[in-house]
Amino acid sequence: LAASLAPRPLIILHPQDGHGDRATADAVNRELAVVRRAYASGPSEGFRVEFVPESRPAIEALLNWLH
């Protein structure tokens, strides 16, 4: 589904696994490889995954991405 959004901008904040636990960077990279390929021909900022620390509100990362 995410790959079908290319080339529209897409950010994924706080990725989680199927159990609702914080996903590891390795798992995210493996699972989102097809999405990265779909975005590879567009602007580098078109697709981003943010592993935002729990101490930082996700809204801050989202607002930074929007600007």
Side-chain angles (χ1 to χ4, degrees):
L1 179 62
S4 71
L5 296 173
R8 294 176 221 54
L10 173 64
I11 186 171
I12 296 177
L13 296 173
H14 298 298
Q16 298 177 344
D17 64 16
H19 300 286
D21 298 322
R22 183 171 279 246
T24 65
D26 287 339
V28 169
N29 286 332
R30 185 174 52 252
E31 296 297 324
L32 296 178
V34 68
V35 179
R36 290 192 191 283
R37 284 193 299 274
Y39 276 88
S41 63
S44 61
E45 68 276 357
F47 174 64
R48 197 160 84 196
V49 177
E50 287 274 336
F51 292 90
V52 182
E54 291 182 24
S55 61
R56 180 177 169 213
I59 192 70
E60 285 181 24
L62 181 60
L63 290 174
N64 286 338
W65 180 70
L66 290 171
H67 290 115

